[in-house]
Amino acid sequence: MDNRALVPLAIALILAGLLWLLAPVLTPFAAAALLAYLGDPLVDRLEARRVPRTLGVVLVFLLLAGAVLAAVMVILPLAGEQLWRLLERLPGWLEQAQARFPILAELDLTRLVELAREHWQAAGGWAQTVLASASRSGLALLAWLANLLLIPVLTFYLLRDWDNLVARIRELLPRPWEPLIVDLTRDADEALGAFLRGQVSVMLALAAVYAGGLWALGINAPILIGLLAGLVSFIPYLGLVVGIAVAGLVAWFQFQEVWALLGVAAVFGIGQVLETAVFTPWFVGDRIGLHPVAVIFAVLAGGQLFGFVGMLLALPAAAVIAVLLRHAHQRYLESEAYAGE
C-alpha cells in the first residue's frame, strides 16, 4: 500500500486531536468564525459597490452588534415581563376553569402555579448567584471575560481578512486535489450559507407572524409565545406543535371558548402555509437539497449523539454530508464499476 495515501488520514487525525485538546481555548475563535462567515457576504456586497473593505467590515460589525443588543435589551425583557404577567393571571383562570369544570377541582392546580411562580422568582437571582460564585474565583472570571471580549475583536479581524485567508488556504492545497476540493467547498459553502442565513430569516419571520396573529386575537403574551414557536422551528413541525400547545392552553384558560382555539389553530396554520410556500423558498430555496425525512432523522440523530448542541449542528452537518454524497454519487455514475467495464 502506498504510504502517501495515509498522509491525509494522519493529518486529519492530528488535527482532530488538537481540536479536542484545545476545545476550551478555541471557543471564542469558533464563535468569531461563525459570525465572520455570516457577515462576509454583506461585506463582499459593500466592497462590490466600491466601499473600502475595512469600512464595510465596520458597518457590518455595527449591524451585528446592534442586532444582538436589540435582542438582549428590548425583546428579552419584554418577553420576560409577559411571562411574569401570564403567571400572575393563571390563578384566576384556573379558578374559572374549576368552576366551569368540576372535575378540575380535584386537581391541586393552584399549587402548581405557586410552584411555577416561586421557581420563576428564584430564577431571577440565578445570574447573581453565578456571578457571585464566579467572582470568588478570580481566574475563572477573568478567563470568561477575556473570551467574551475576544469574540468581537476576532470577528473584526476575520471579517477584514476573510478573502485573504481563503486564498491562502487554497494555495496550500495539493495541485491534483485542488479542483475537487474547491468544488466541494463551494457547494458546501452554498448549502451552509443557505441554511444558516435562510433558517434564521425563516425563524424570525415565523416569530413575527405568530406574535402578530396572537396579538390580533387578544391572546396574552403574544411576543413570548411567538418567539418560542419561531425559535424552535429549526426542527421541522416542532414550532407548530409547541406553538399550538402553549397558545392553545393560554387561549383556553383566558377565554374558555372554542373560537379562541380555532383562532390559534388558524394563526399557526397560516404560519405553516407561509413557511412552506413563501419563507422557505424565498430565504432558503432548494440549495440544501435535504428531504424532510432526512432533516428529521438528522436532528434526532444529532440529539441522541451530542444532546442539544448536536440538534443545533445536525442540519448544517447534514447539508455538508449531502454535498459529499452528491459528489460521490456523481463520481460513481461516471466510474467503470457502474458502467460494468
Side-chain angles (χ1 to χ4, degrees):
M1 182 178 180
D2 191 354
N3 290 332
R4 289 178 298 179
L6 298 178
V7 173
L9 178 60
I11 293 175
L13 291 175
I14 292 174
L15 290 177
L18 288 175
L19 289 175
W20 178 265
L21 293 174
L22 298 175
V25 179
L26 294 177
T27 300
F29 290 87
L34 177 60
L35 293 174
Y37 177 76
L38 292 174
D40 180 65
L42 293 178
V43 178
D44 289 341
R45 289 182 184 180
L46 293 175
E47 197 174 14
R49 297 185 179 184
R50 299 182 179 179
V51 176
R53 179 82 184 182
T54 302
L55 178 59
V57 169
V58 171
L59 294 176
V60 172
F61 189 83
L62 291 176
L63 178 63
L64 291 174
V68 172
L69 241 96
V72 172
M73 299 182 65
V74 178
I75 299 177
L76 291 183
L78 184 59
E81 181 184 357
Q82 290 193 353
L83 178 59
W84 177 247
R85 290 182 179 178
L86 193 65
L87 291 175
E88 284 185 333
R89 294 173 180 172
L90 266 181
W93 293 345
L94 291 177
E95 289 178 3
Q96 295 176 6
Q98 288 175 336
R100 187 170 181 178
F101 303 99
I103 192 174
L104 296 178
E106 301 177 4
L107 302 176
D108 193 5
L109 299 178
T110 306
R111 178 55 184 163
L112 294 178
V113 175
E114 291 300 325
L115 286 174
R117 294 180 64 179
E118 289 173 8
H119 285 294
W120 178 250
Q121 289 175 335
W126 178 80
Q128 296 178 354
T129 303
V130 171
L131 290 177
S133 62
S135 62
R136 287 192 292 269
S137 177
L139 291 178
L141 180 61
L142 287 176
W144 184 80
L145 290 175
N147 286 335
L148 188 63
L149 294 175
L150 265 179
I151 292 177
V153 175
L154 294 172
T155 301
F156 177 83
Y157 285 111
L158 286 176
L159 264 177
R160 191 190 66 178
D161 301 326
W162 187 267
D163 292 342
N164 292 332
L165 291 173
V166 172
R168 294 288 180 87
I169 294 174
R170 184 171 180 175
E171 290 176 358
L172 295 175
L173 298 176
R175 294 300 91 187
W177 298 353
E178 192 259 352
L180 176 60
I181 295 176
V182 169
D183 288 341
L184 289 173
T185 305
R186 185 181 298 113
D187 290 347
D189 175 67
E190 291 180 0
L192 282 175
F195 171 77
L196 291 174
R197 289 182 284 269
Q199 189 62 33
V200 169
S201 301
V202 170
M203 289 160 57
L204 294 177
L206 284 175
V209 169
Y210 294 151
L214 295 176
W215 174 81
L217 289 174
I219 306 295
N220 283 290
I223 295 178
L224 176 65
I225 300 173
L227 280 176
L228 176 64
L231 293 179
V232 301
S233 63
F234 70 93
I235 301 177
Y237 305 110
L238 182 60
L240 177 68
V241 174
V242 171
I244 288 181
V246 176
L249 283 174
V250 173
W252 177 254
F253 281 120
Q254 183 179 350
F255 298 105
Q256 299 182 19
E257 297 290 344
V258 175
W259 69 263
L261 299 180
L262 294 177
V264 168
V267 167
F268 285 91
I270 292 172
Q272 192 67 26
V273 171
L274 288 175
E275 178 185 9
T276 304
V278 180
F279 298 151
T280 299
W282 189 8
F283 294 123
V284 179
D286 57 355
R287 285 170 288 180
I288 295 181
L290 290 177
H291 192 275
V293 174
V295 171
I296 295 173
F297 174 79
V299 172
L300 293 178
Q304 177 67 27
L305 294 175
F306 303 107
F308 181 71
V309 175
M311 295 177 68
L312 293 177
L313 299 179
L315 289 184
V320 174
I321 292 173
V323 169
L324 299 177
L325 290 177
R326 283 197 293 271
H327 276 264
H329 178 255
Q330 185 62 33
R331 285 296 185 93
Y332 170 67
L333 294 179
E334 296 172 356
S335 67
E336 296 180 356
Y338 177 77
E341 296 177 2

